[in-house]
Amino acid sequence: MQPCHSSPIQRCMKTMTCKELGGPCDQKLSAGSWDEMVQTMVTHVTGNHPETAEAMKKMHEQDPKKWGRETKPKWDAAPEA
């Protein structure tokens, strides 16, 4: 079977938990790209963990790229499903 990234029809998905992405819970979040995962995480945290959302907002104001620097390598290493 070919890797899913070699097929233009099949969309690759990766799944990570909120906790793996820096949040407080074990909810699984899935996305087809890093940018999509960022949006999925923001939506999840904003709707479910307002205190974490506030902490992430403050971290972003201090260093806008910190979360990405710390978290994108985990995304890159996550297996495709």
Side-chain angles (χ1 to χ4, degrees):
M1 188 165 134
Q2 294 179 337
C4 63
H5 56 76
S6 68
S7 171
I9 297 169
Q10 187 177 8
R11 185 160 184 240
C12 300
M13 297 293 286
K14 291 187 178 187
T15 300
M16 297 177 73
T17 65
C18 173
K19 196 173 284 184
E20 289 172 322
L21 294 162
C25 80
D26 292 318
Q27 174 71 40
K28 291 182 179 181
L29 306 172
S30 296
S33 70
W34 169 246
D35 290 337
E36 186 181 327
M37 182 57 85
V38 170
Q39 290 304 314
T40 299
M41 181 61 174
V42 167
T43 300
H44 171 75
V45 169
T46 302
N48 297 285
H49 312 295
E51 66 289 340
T52 301
E54 187 60 34
M56 290 180 131
K57 180 181 173 187
K58 287 178 182 176
M59 179 175 63
H60 182 76
E61 289 169 356
Q62 292 173 357
D63 183 352
K65 297 187 179 196
K66 181 178 180 182
W67 182 78
R69 279 193 315 268
E70 294 175 353
T71 311
K72 183 146 186 322
K74 295 176 189 176
W75 164 265
D76 291 338
E80 294 174 345

